[in-house]
């Protein structure tokens, strides 16, 4: 029943995932300026596949733009700040469409066009594109960082553990089912910290 030891994760990672942040300093220094694990490359097999991460008031959207490129953006429409995609995962086909006012974005984050474009002045589609988030990849895993910092990239931090990752062939793992870490950790948090 000791789920913490069966995960074989660093205690600091589990602690940060299980304990909700309580103040603005923790939110900024621990969560916004440090790397957060979002998904594995095989969670995004097809063009338009996406994963989201909501943490400490930030919303990330990680999406496969092309067969060779994954991008990360704030999951917010540039028009009114509405959440662009709902749910932890899905597929946007060829475009991302805001459910609020139907602004449409290409998978590379550029604005394709606002709905009823005749009611807007000429808009620079690059300037009004989605705001990118820093993205890094290590041994198949994607990490995001919401705010810049002096901390090294996740791949640089984890490089010293590369031999351990290679033992498990993490670059090529395939998910056997769709699980939600947020559901796992929220239910375990109650038992661990109550």
């Amino acid at each position: 029943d000791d789920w913490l030891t069966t995960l074989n994760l660093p205690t600091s990672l589990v602690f940060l995932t299980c304990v909700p942040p309580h103040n603005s300093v923790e939110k900024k220094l621990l969560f916004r300026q440090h790397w957060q694990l979002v998904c594995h490359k095989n969670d995004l097999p097809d063009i338009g596949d996406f994963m989201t991460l909501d943490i400490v008031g930030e919303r990330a959207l990680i999406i496969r733009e092309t067969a060779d490129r994954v991008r990360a953006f704030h999951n917010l429409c540039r028009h009114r700040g509405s959440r662009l995609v709902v749910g932890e995962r899905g597929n946007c086909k060829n475009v991302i469409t805001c459910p609020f006012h139907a602004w449409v974005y290409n998978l590379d984050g550029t604005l394709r066009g606002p709905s009823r474009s005749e009611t807007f002045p000429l808009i620079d589609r690059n300037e009004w594109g989605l705001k990118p988030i820093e993205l890094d990849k290590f041994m198949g895993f994607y990490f995001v960082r919401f705010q810049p910092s002096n901390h090294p990239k996740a791949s640089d931090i984890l490089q010293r553990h590369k031999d351990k990752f290679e033992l498990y062939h993490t670059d090529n793992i395939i998910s056997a089912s769709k699980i939600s870490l947020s559901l796992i950790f929220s239910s375990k948090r109650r038992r661990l910290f109550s």
Side-chain angles (χ1 to χ4, degrees):
D1 194 37
D2 186 11
W3 67 276
L4 194 58
T5 55
T6 61
L7 287 176
N8 292 323
L9 295 173
T11 306
S12 59
L13 174 64
V14 174
F15 178 77
L16 290 176
T17 308
C18 293
V19 179
H22 293 288
N23 66 50
S24 60
V25 174
E26 286 177 321
K27 290 177 181 179
K28 178 180 179 184
L29 297 179
L30 293 178
F31 292 93
R32 292 188 178 114
Q33 292 184 350
H34 282 271
W35 294 98
Q36 306 300 321
L37 174 64
V38 179
C39 63
H40 188 270
K41 69 178 184 178
N42 289 322
D43 290 319
L44 307 169
D46 300 318
I47 294 172
D49 282 351
F50 69 83
M51 296 286 294
T52 62
L53 173 69
D54 290 359
I55 185 170
V56 297
E58 298 286 351
R59 299 174 181 168
L61 167 64
I62 295 77
I63 190 163
R64 180 162 298 281
E65 175 191 352
T66 65
D68 299 327
R69 186 157 191 193
V70 171
R71 307 280 303 251
F73 304 103
H74 288 276
N75 189 10
L76 298 170
C77 180
R78 294 293 309 280
H79 179 224
R80 296 282 186 206
S82 178
R83 184 185 305 263
L84 286 170
V85 298
V86 180
E88 290 185 15
R89 63 179 67 228
N91 184 284
C92 288
K93 303 286 182 215
N94 299 316
V95 296
I96 304 164
T97 304
C98 177
F100 190 52
H101 284 123
W103 278 39
V104 180
Y105 299 89
N106 295 309
L107 299 181
D108 67 359
T110 57
L111 176 66
R112 182 175 281 192
S115 64
R116 300 188 54 207
S117 58
E118 70 279 359
T119 64
F120 287 90
L122 187 61
I123 293 177
D124 181 333
R125 294 173 192 270
N126 291 318
E127 181 182 332
W128 283 91
L130 299 178
K131 290 292 186 185
I133 297 175
E134 211 173 341
L135 179 70
D136 197 17
K137 181 179 172 186
F138 179 76
M139 299 296 292
F141 294 99
Y142 284 105
F143 298 82
V144 295
R145 180 164 57 185
F146 291 99
Q147 293 178 352
S149 72
N150 294 331
H151 302 291
K153 291 182 148 204
S155 54
D156 294 339
I157 294 167
L158 293 169
Q159 188 62 39
R160 67 188 176 121
H161 302 291
K162 185 176 180 182
D163 58 334
K164 293 174 185 74
F165 279 80
E166 287 174 337
L167 288 172
Y168 295 97
H169 306 281
T170 61
D171 202 34
N172 298 312
I173 61 174
I174 297 173
S175 178
S177 66
K178 307 294 184 202
I179 64 166
S180 168
L181 289 179
S182 62
L183 292 175
I184 291 170
F185 287 122
S186 64
S187 65
K188 301 301 181 185
R189 179 188 311 138
R190 285 192 296 274
R191 284 193 319 181
L192 187 64
F193 297 103
S194 54

